[in-house]
Amino acid sequence: MGTSEEVILRAVEGQGPWILDKLRSRSEVRDTSGVRAYEDQGKFLYLGREHELQELIPTAGRSEEELKQALKKFYFVSCKKIVEDRLPAYQAQLRVKPKTIEIVESSTKWGSCSTDKKLTFNYRLAMAPVEVIDYVIIHELCHLLHMNHDRSFWRRLGSLMPDYKEKEAYLARYGQAMTF
């Protein structure tokens, strides 16, 4: 507010290529998250790769609604197993222990940590590559040490995963496409 139109235009023009690149990226993501084909050869993400539906769940004799419910259950169960398998190594490195771990459905968060040490993870993480899942696990475990995103939090996270910004960028770029 209070900035002249001339200053705004100069700033936008100076960032033109970057703005166009971001708009193209978002358009690509939107294009990949269109209508899904709930049939044997329909493509669905699992651990960062596309798989035919029949590779993930039994499909024979199921209606589209039954397939959606079965696929959602598959993602919930898979996410829980992945998180439970990968969490102990990072817990040991950070010397922390969450009180509980829960897999939830969220449209806005990949994970969260409450003040009572309860960690939650979005079931859609099962669609992401393992290293991205690891990032979210480490991120939430670091909140057991630092309940905010201060410099200490990011330093601690970076000590375990120096390339964490790449994982954040992946979620920002492809997160909207991680649907079914």
PDB file of all heavy atoms in Angstrom, residues 82-109:
ATOM      1  N   ILE A  82       5.198 -46.461   6.300  1.00  0.00           N
ATOM      2  CA  ILE A  82       6.405 -45.737   5.885  1.00  0.00           C
ATOM      3  C   ILE A  82       6.918 -44.864   7.025  1.00  0.00           C
ATOM      4  O   ILE A  82       8.100 -44.879   7.357  1.00  0.00           O
ATOM      5  CB  ILE A  82       6.131 -44.887   4.625  1.00  0.00           C
ATOM      6  CG1 ILE A  82       5.825 -45.786   3.431  1.00  0.00           C
ATOM      7  CG2 ILE A  82       7.304 -43.961   4.321  1.00  0.00           C
ATOM      8  CD1 ILE A  82       5.125 -45.066   2.279  1.00  0.00           C
ATOM      9  N   VAL A  83       6.022 -44.096   7.630  1.00  0.00           N
ATOM     10  CA  VAL A  83       6.423 -43.205   8.727  1.00  0.00           C
ATOM     11  C   VAL A  83       6.952 -44.022   9.899  1.00  0.00           C
ATOM     12  O   VAL A  83       8.007 -43.707  10.462  1.00  0.00           O
ATOM     13  CB  VAL A  83       5.255 -42.287   9.156  1.00  0.00           C
ATOM     14  CG1 VAL A  83       5.570 -41.568  10.462  1.00  0.00           C
ATOM     15  CG2 VAL A  83       4.939 -41.278   8.051  1.00  0.00           C
ATOM     16  N   GLU A  84       6.242 -45.078  10.272  1.00  0.00           N
ATOM     17  CA  GLU A  84       6.684 -45.900  11.406  1.00  0.00           C
ATOM     18  C   GLU A  84       8.027 -46.584  11.126  1.00  0.00           C
ATOM     19  O   GLU A  84       8.824 -46.777  12.039  1.00  0.00           O
ATOM     20  CB  GLU A  84       5.623 -46.940  11.758  1.00  0.00           C
ATOM     21  CG  GLU A  84       4.425 -46.318  12.450  1.00  0.00           C
ATOM     22  CD  GLU A  84       3.301 -47.302  12.742  1.00  0.00           C
ATOM     23  OE1 GLU A  84       3.335 -48.446  12.197  1.00  0.00           O
ATOM     24  OE2 GLU A  84       2.389 -46.940  13.489  1.00  0.00           O
ATOM     25  N   ASP A  85       8.285 -46.953   9.874  1.00  0.00           N
ATOM     26  CA  ASP A  85       9.561 -47.581   9.516  1.00  0.00           C
ATOM     27  C   ASP A  85      10.715 -46.579   9.517  1.00  0.00           C
ATOM     28  O   ASP A  85      11.835 -46.911   9.880  1.00  0.00           O
ATOM     29  CB  ASP A  85       9.483 -48.223   8.118  1.00  0.00           C
ATOM     30  CG  ASP A  85       8.647 -49.497   8.098  1.00  0.00           C
ATOM     31  OD1 ASP A  85       8.275 -50.007   9.179  1.00  0.00           O
ATOM     32  OD2 ASP A  85       8.355 -49.985   6.984  1.00  0.00           O
ATOM     33  N   ARG A  86      10.455 -45.343   9.105  1.00  0.00           N
ATOM     34  CA  ARG A  86      11.530 -44.373   8.904  1.00  0.00           C
ATOM     35  C   ARG A  86      11.778 -43.481  10.122  1.00  0.00           C
ATOM     36  O   ARG A  86      12.856 -42.930  10.292  1.00  0.00           O
ATOM     37  CB  ARG A  86      11.224 -43.533   7.660  1.00  0.00           C
ATOM     38  CG  ARG A  86      11.068 -44.466   6.431  1.00  0.00           C
ATOM     39  CD  ARG A  86      11.108 -43.798   5.130  1.00  0.00           C
ATOM     40  NE  ARG A  86      12.382 -43.211   4.795  1.00  0.00           N
ATOM     41  CZ  ARG A  86      13.452 -43.882   4.374  1.00  0.00           C
ATOM     42  NH1 ARG A  86      13.422 -45.192   4.276  1.00  0.00           N
ATOM     43  NH2 ARG A  86      14.564 -43.235   4.060  1.00  0.00           N
ATOM     44  N   LEU A  87      10.782 -43.328  10.955  1.00  0.00           N
ATOM     45  CA  LEU A  87      10.858 -42.442  12.108  1.00  0.00           C
ATOM     46  C   LEU A  87      11.951 -42.812  13.126  1.00  0.00           C
ATOM     47  O   LEU A  87      12.679 -41.925  13.581  1.00  0.00           O
ATOM     48  CB  LEU A  87       9.484 -42.395  12.790  1.00  0.00           C
ATOM     49  CG  LEU A  87       9.269 -41.306  13.806  1.00  0.00           C
ATOM     50  CD1 LEU A  87       8.841 -40.024  13.121  1.00  0.00           C
ATOM     51  CD2 LEU A  87       8.200 -41.730  14.787  1.00  0.00           C
ATOM     52  N   PRO A  88      12.126 -44.083  13.492  1.00  0.00           N
ATOM     53  CA  PRO A  88      13.084 -44.416  14.560  1.00  0.00           C
ATOM     54  C   PRO A  88      14.516 -43.933  14.315  1.00  0.00           C
ATOM     55  O   PRO A  88      15.168 -43.466  15.259  1.00  0.00           O
ATOM     56  CB  PRO A  88      13.019 -45.951  14.633  1.00  0.00           C
ATOM     57  CG  PRO A  88      11.648 -46.282  14.142  1.00  0.00           C
ATOM     58  CD  PRO A  88      11.369 -45.265  13.062  1.00  0.00           C
ATOM     59  N   ALA A  89      15.000 -44.021  13.101  1.00  0.00           N
ATOM     60  CA  ALA A  89      16.376 -43.588  12.826  1.00  0.00           C
ATOM     61  C   ALA A  89      16.539 -42.097  13.101  1.00  0.00           C
ATOM     62  O   ALA A  89      17.542 -41.672  13.699  1.00  0.00           O
ATOM     63  CB  ALA A  89      16.747 -43.901  11.382  1.00  0.00           C
ATOM     64  N   TYR A  90      15.569 -41.308  12.697  1.00  0.00           N
ATOM     65  CA  TYR A  90      15.654 -39.861  12.914  1.00  0.00           C
ATOM     66  C   TYR A  90      15.399 -39.503  14.379  1.00  0.00           C
ATOM     67  O   TYR A  90      15.990 -38.565  14.903  1.00  0.00           O
ATOM     68  CB  TYR A  90      14.700 -39.118  11.982  1.00  0.00           C
ATOM     69  CG  TYR A  90      15.035 -39.344  10.530  1.00  0.00           C
ATOM     70  CD1 TYR A  90      14.138 -39.955   9.670  1.00  0.00           C
ATOM     71  CD2 TYR A  90      16.281 -38.966  10.024  1.00  0.00           C
ATOM     72  CE1 TYR A  90      14.460 -40.164   8.340  1.00  0.00           C
ATOM     73  CE2 TYR A  90      16.615 -39.181   8.702  1.00  0.00           C
ATOM     74  CZ  TYR A  90      15.698 -39.778   7.865  1.00  0.00           C
ATOM     75  OH  TYR A  90      16.029 -40.002   6.548  1.00  0.00           O
ATOM     76  N   GLN A  91      14.521 -40.249  15.038  1.00  0.00           N
ATOM     77  CA  GLN A  91      14.298 -40.053  16.469  1.00  0.00           C
ATOM     78  C   GLN A  91      15.613 -40.236  17.224  1.00  0.00           C
ATOM     79  O   GLN A  91      15.947 -39.442  18.099  1.00  0.00           O
ATOM     80  CB  GLN A  91      13.318 -41.120  16.994  1.00  0.00           C
ATOM     81  CG  GLN A  91      11.891 -40.741  16.995  1.00  0.00           C
ATOM     82  CD  GLN A  91      11.043 -41.854  17.584  1.00  0.00           C
ATOM     83  OE1 GLN A  91      10.112 -42.265  16.952  1.00  0.00           O
ATOM     84  NE2 GLN A  91      11.361 -42.337  18.767  1.00  0.00           N
ATOM     85  N   ALA A  92      16.344 -41.285  16.870  1.00  0.00           N
ATOM     86  CA  ALA A  92      17.607 -41.576  17.545  1.00  0.00           C
ATOM     87  C   ALA A  92      18.623 -40.461  17.299  1.00  0.00           C
ATOM     88  O   ALA A  92      19.328 -40.040  18.224  1.00  0.00           O
ATOM     89  CB  ALA A  92      18.157 -42.917  17.064  1.00  0.00           C
ATOM     90  N   GLN A  93      18.687 -39.970  16.057  1.00  0.00           N
ATOM     91  CA  GLN A  93      19.637 -38.909  15.742  1.00  0.00           C
ATOM     92  C   GLN A  93      19.320 -37.617  16.496  1.00  0.00           C
ATOM     93  O   GLN A  93      20.225 -36.904  16.930  1.00  0.00           O
ATOM     94  CB  GLN A  93      19.653 -38.638  14.233  1.00  0.00           C
ATOM     95  CG  GLN A  93      20.335 -39.734  13.447  1.00  0.00           C
ATOM     96  CD  GLN A  93      20.274 -39.466  11.965  1.00  0.00           C
ATOM     97  OE1 GLN A  93      19.199 -39.329  11.379  1.00  0.00           O
ATOM     98  NE2 GLN A  93      21.438 -39.392  11.345  1.00  0.00           N
ATOM     99  N   LEU A  94      18.038 -37.324  16.636  1.00  0.00           N
ATOM    100  CA  LEU A  94      17.624 -36.090  17.310  1.00  0.00           C
ATOM    101  C   LEU A  94      17.448 -36.279  18.817  1.00  0.00           C
ATOM    102  O   LEU A  94      17.282 -35.302  19.549  1.00  0.00           O
ATOM    103  CB  LEU A  94      16.314 -35.576  16.700  1.00  0.00           C
ATOM    104  CG  LEU A  94      16.425 -35.009  15.295  1.00  0.00           C
ATOM    105  CD1 LEU A  94      15.055 -34.874  14.647  1.00  0.00           C
ATOM    106  CD2 LEU A  94      17.135 -33.667  15.317  1.00  0.00           C
ATOM    107  N   ARG A  95      17.414 -37.537  19.252  1.00  0.00           N
ATOM    108  CA  ARG A  95      17.190 -37.865  20.671  1.00  0.00           C
ATOM    109  C   ARG A  95      15.867 -37.280  21.177  1.00  0.00           C
ATOM    110  O   ARG A  95      15.816 -36.594  22.199  1.00  0.00           O
ATOM    111  CB  ARG A  95      18.354 -37.405  21.530  1.00  0.00           C
ATOM    112  CG  ARG A  95      19.633 -38.122  21.188  1.00  0.00           C
ATOM    113  CD  ARG A  95      20.727 -37.797  22.179  1.00  0.00           C
ATOM    114  NE  ARG A  95      21.995 -38.119  21.558  1.00  0.00           N
ATOM    115  CZ  ARG A  95      22.986 -37.259  21.397  1.00  0.00           C
ATOM    116  NH1 ARG A  95      22.880 -36.027  21.822  1.00  0.00           N
ATOM    117  NH2 ARG A  95      24.101 -37.619  20.806  1.00  0.00           N
ATOM    118  N   VAL A  96      14.821 -37.552  20.415  1.00  0.00           N
ATOM    119  CA  VAL A  96      13.476 -37.107  20.787  1.00  0.00           C
ATOM    120  C   VAL A  96      12.523 -38.289  20.662  1.00  0.00           C
ATOM    121  O   VAL A  96      12.809 -39.260  19.957  1.00  0.00           O
ATOM    122  CB  VAL A  96      12.979 -35.940  19.895  1.00  0.00           C
ATOM    123  CG1 VAL A  96      13.819 -34.699  20.122  1.00  0.00           C
ATOM    124  CG2 VAL A  96      12.945 -36.324  18.435  1.00  0.00           C
ATOM    125  N   LYS A  97      11.397 -38.186  21.331  1.00  0.00           N
ATOM    126  CA  LYS A  97      10.383 -39.237  21.249  1.00  0.00           C
ATOM    127  C   LYS A  97       9.000 -38.602  21.283  1.00  0.00           C
ATOM    128  O   LYS A  97       8.613 -38.015  22.281  1.00  0.00           O
ATOM    129  CB  LYS A  97      10.542 -40.223  22.408  1.00  0.00           C
ATOM    130  CG  LYS A  97       9.612 -41.410  22.312  1.00  0.00           C
ATOM    131  CD  LYS A  97      10.031 -42.488  23.285  1.00  0.00           C
ATOM    132  CE  LYS A  97       9.106 -43.653  23.376  1.00  0.00           C
ATOM    133  NZ  LYS A  97       8.638 -44.262  22.192  1.00  0.00           N
ATOM    134  N   PRO A  98       8.272 -38.724  20.179  1.00  0.00           N
ATOM    135  CA  PRO A  98       6.902 -38.197  20.190  1.00  0.00           C
ATOM    136  C   PRO A  98       6.005 -39.061  21.075  1.00  0.00           C
ATOM    137  O   PRO A  98       6.281 -40.244  21.287  1.00  0.00           O
ATOM    138  CB  PRO A  98       6.473 -38.293  18.719  1.00  0.00           C
ATOM    139  CG  PRO A  98       7.357 -39.322  18.116  1.00  0.00           C
ATOM    140  CD  PRO A  98       8.632 -39.320  18.897  1.00  0.00           C
ATOM    141  N   LYS A  99       4.946 -38.443  21.579  1.00  0.00           N
ATOM    142  CA  LYS A  99       4.004 -39.177  22.421  1.00  0.00           C
ATOM    143  C   LYS A  99       3.155 -40.103  21.546  1.00  0.00           C
ATOM    144  O   LYS A  99       2.985 -41.273  21.861  1.00  0.00           O
ATOM    145  CB  LYS A  99       3.107 -38.207  23.188  1.00  0.00           C
ATOM    146  CG  LYS A  99       2.230 -38.899  24.217  1.00  0.00           C
ATOM    147  CD  LYS A  99       1.330 -37.917  24.936  1.00  0.00           C
ATOM    148  CE  LYS A  99       2.098 -37.256  26.054  1.00  0.00           C
ATOM    149  NZ  LYS A  99       1.237 -36.412  26.889  1.00  0.00           N
ATOM    150  N   THR A 100       2.630 -39.556  20.453  1.00  0.00           N
ATOM    151  CA  THR A 100       1.823 -40.354  19.530  1.00  0.00           C
ATOM    152  C   THR A 100       2.104 -39.921  18.097  1.00  0.00           C
ATOM    153  O   THR A 100       2.578 -38.803  17.856  1.00  0.00           O
ATOM    154  CB  THR A 100       0.305 -40.204  19.790  1.00  0.00           C
ATOM    155  OG1 THR A 100      -0.061 -38.836  19.607  1.00  0.00           O
ATOM    156  CG2 THR A 100      -0.081 -40.656  21.176  1.00  0.00           C
ATOM    157  N   ILE A 101       1.761 -40.815  17.188  1.00  0.00           N
ATOM    158  CA  ILE A 101       1.880 -40.537  15.756  1.00  0.00           C
ATOM    159  C   ILE A 101       0.552 -40.908  15.122  1.00  0.00           C
ATOM    160  O   ILE A 101       0.013 -41.993  15.381  1.00  0.00           O
ATOM    161  CB  ILE A 101       3.014 -41.367  15.131  1.00  0.00           C
ATOM    162  CG1 ILE A 101       4.346 -40.933  15.729  1.00  0.00           C
ATOM    163  CG2 ILE A 101       3.036 -41.223  13.616  1.00  0.00           C
ATOM    164  CD1 ILE A 101       5.375 -41.996  15.723  1.00  0.00           C
ATOM    165  N   GLU A 102       0.040 -40.018  14.310  1.00  0.00           N
ATOM    166  CA  GLU A 102      -1.254 -40.243  13.685  1.00  0.00           C
ATOM    167  C   GLU A 102      -1.187 -39.865  12.213  1.00  0.00           C
ATOM    168  O   GLU A 102      -0.513 -38.904  11.841  1.00  0.00           O
ATOM    169  CB  GLU A 102      -2.315 -39.402  14.407  1.00  0.00           C
ATOM    170  CG  GLU A 102      -3.718 -39.689  13.967  1.00  0.00           C
ATOM    171  CD  GLU A 102      -4.751 -38.879  14.749  1.00  0.00           C
ATOM    172  OE1 GLU A 102      -4.360 -38.077  15.614  1.00  0.00           O
ATOM    173  OE2 GLU A 102      -5.943 -39.032  14.465  1.00  0.00           O
ATOM    174  N   ILE A 103      -1.895 -40.608  11.393  1.00  0.00           N
ATOM    175  CA  ILE A 103      -2.017 -40.299   9.968  1.00  0.00           C
ATOM    176  C   ILE A 103      -3.400 -39.678   9.785  1.00  0.00           C
ATOM    177  O   ILE A 103      -4.401 -40.240  10.244  1.00  0.00           O
ATOM    178  CB  ILE A 103      -1.859 -41.563   9.097  1.00  0.00           C
ATOM    179  CG1 ILE A 103      -0.568 -42.313   9.443  1.00  0.00           C
ATOM    180  CG2 ILE A 103      -1.911 -41.199   7.618  1.00  0.00           C
ATOM    181  CD1 ILE A 103       0.711 -41.511   9.341  1.00  0.00           C
ATOM    182  N   VAL A 104      -3.442 -38.520   9.140  1.00  0.00           N
ATOM    183  CA  VAL A 104      -4.686 -37.771   9.012  1.00  0.00           C
ATOM    184  C   VAL A 104      -4.904 -37.320   7.566  1.00  0.00           C
ATOM    185  O   VAL A 104      -3.998 -37.407   6.738  1.00  0.00           O
ATOM    186  CB  VAL A 104      -4.698 -36.526   9.935  1.00  0.00           C
ATOM    187  CG1 VAL A 104      -4.575 -36.935  11.394  1.00  0.00           C
ATOM    188  CG2 VAL A 104      -3.604 -35.552   9.542  1.00  0.00           C
ATOM    189  N   GLU A 105      -6.091 -36.818   7.326  1.00  0.00           N
ATOM    190  CA  GLU A 105      -6.401 -36.190   6.039  1.00  0.00           C
ATOM    191  C   GLU A 105      -6.376 -34.688   6.265  1.00  0.00           C
ATOM    192  O   GLU A 105      -7.068 -34.179   7.147  1.00  0.00           O
ATOM    193  CB  GLU A 105      -7.779 -36.631   5.551  1.00  0.00           C
ATOM    194  CG  GLU A 105      -8.155 -36.044   4.221  1.00  0.00           C
ATOM    195  CD  GLU A 105      -9.428 -36.641   3.648  1.00  0.00           C
ATOM    196  OE1 GLU A 105     -10.084 -37.462   4.320  1.00  0.00           O
ATOM    197  OE2 GLU A 105      -9.764 -36.275   2.518  1.00  0.00           O
ATOM    198  N   SER A 106      -5.560 -34.002   5.494  1.00  0.00           N
ATOM    199  CA  SER A 106      -5.462 -32.549   5.614  1.00  0.00           C
ATOM    200  C   SER A 106      -5.327 -31.942   4.224  1.00  0.00           C
ATOM    201  O   SER A 106      -4.615 -32.481   3.376  1.00  0.00           O
ATOM    202  CB  SER A 106      -4.251 -32.159   6.459  1.00  0.00           C
ATOM    203  OG  SER A 106      -4.080 -30.759   6.455  1.00  0.00           O
ATOM    204  N   SER A 107      -5.973 -30.839   4.013  1.00  0.00           N
ATOM    205  CA  SER A 107      -5.849 -30.169   2.718  1.00  0.00           C
ATOM    206  C   SER A 107      -4.796 -29.070   2.766  1.00  0.00           C
ATOM    207  O   SER A 107      -4.445 -28.512   1.736  1.00  0.00           O
ATOM    208  CB  SER A 107      -7.193 -29.593   2.289  1.00  0.00           C
ATOM    209  OG  SER A 107      -7.647 -28.679   3.268  1.00  0.00           O
ATOM    210  N   THR A 108      -4.269 -28.779   3.955  1.00  0.00           N
ATOM    211  CA  THR A 108      -3.335 -27.657   4.071  1.00  0.00           C
ATOM    212  C   THR A 108      -1.962 -28.006   4.630  1.00  0.00           C
ATOM    213  O   THR A 108      -1.027 -27.247   4.430  1.00  0.00           O
ATOM    214  CB  THR A 108      -3.942 -26.552   4.964  1.00  0.00           C
ATOM    215  OG1 THR A 108      -4.225 -27.101   6.253  1.00  0.00           O
ATOM    216  CG2 THR A 108      -5.202 -25.980   4.345  1.00  0.00           C
ATOM    217  N   LYS A 109      -1.809 -29.121   5.329  1.00  0.00           N
ATOM    218  CA  LYS A 109      -0.542 -29.426   5.992  1.00  0.00           C
ATOM    219  C   LYS A 109      -0.049 -30.819   5.623  1.00  0.00           C
ATOM    220  O   LYS A 109      -0.834 -31.750   5.478  1.00  0.00           O
ATOM    221  CB  LYS A 109      -0.699 -29.366   7.515  1.00  0.00           C
ATOM    222  CG  LYS A 109      -1.009 -28.012   8.059  1.00  0.00           C
ATOM    223  CD  LYS A 109      -1.118 -28.073   9.562  1.00  0.00           C
ATOM    224  CE  LYS A 109      -1.443 -26.704  10.127  1.00  0.00           C
ATOM    225  NZ  LYS A 109      -1.516 -26.735  11.575  1.00  0.00           N
TER     226      LYS A 109
END
